[in-house]
Amino acid sequence: QVQLVESGGGLVQAGGSLRLSCAASGSIFSIRAMGWYRQAPGKQRELVAHITSAGSTNYADSLKGRFTISRDNAKNMVYLQMNSLTPEDTAVYYCSAEISTVVRRQAWFNYWGQGTQVTVSS
């Protein structure tokens, strides 16, 4: 069993910052890519950023420069630093990770967290 749990969401004023965290736990053998997605009301889920096990990053073009993804491989955690937030950033933010388990070490699956609400007031 593998679980991803996000934390750090909440209400913030426009121009403020938040740092989201995601912890992966369970019968983990290895983690490859980790990432953040978000879904605003009435919109499709979109990629925010992702990061490989080697540290290579990719961002949505519209967010590059404001958001920073990082990870701690030893702790099985991924973070998202969000700066200069605007009301358009209001969404549920989901953590994802590509994980193999100790039981099936060569089988890779995408896991998702439950999401954390980020609300940016104007």
Side-chain angles (χ1 to χ4, degrees):
Q1 300 96 313
V2 173
Q3 300 85 35
L4 273 65
V5 179
E6 302 97 335
S7 62
L11 177 64
V12 64
Q13 291 183 310
S17 298
L18 282 175
R19 182 175 174 85
L20 305 183
S21 300
C22 173
S25 62
S27 301
I28 297 171
F29 179 72
S30 186
I31 302 177
R32 296 203 294 201
M34 305 184 80
W36 290 94
Y37 293 74
R38 70 183 185 182
Q39 187 166 24
K43 294 187 176 182
Q44 294 184 356
R45 187 175 299 186
E46 65 176 346
L47 171 71
V48 175
H50 76 87
I51 183 169
T52 70
S53 59
S56 297
T57 59
N58 184 62
Y59 298 89
D61 289 340
S62 62
L63 303 178
K64 194 170 186 177
R66 293 195 298 120
F67 288 14
T68 303
I69 189 171
S70 61
R71 65 188 288 170
D72 187 331
N73 291 334
K75 296 181 178 180
N76 290 337
M77 296 194 70
V78 63
Y79 309 92
L80 183 69
Q81 179 67 45
M82 305 184 294
N83 298 325
S84 301
L85 288 164
T86 75
E88 292 183 339
D89 297 316
T90 296
V92 177
Y93 284 71
Y94 297 90
C95 171
S96 70
E98 190 180 12
I99 295 173
S100 66
T101 67
V102 296
V103 177
R104 302 176 65 186
R105 302 182 179 187
Q106 276 70 50
W108 297 89
F109 300 92
N110 274 357
Y111 292 84
W112 293 86
Q114 81 287 353
T116 185
Q117 177 70 48
V118 172
T119 302
V120 184
S121 62
S122 59

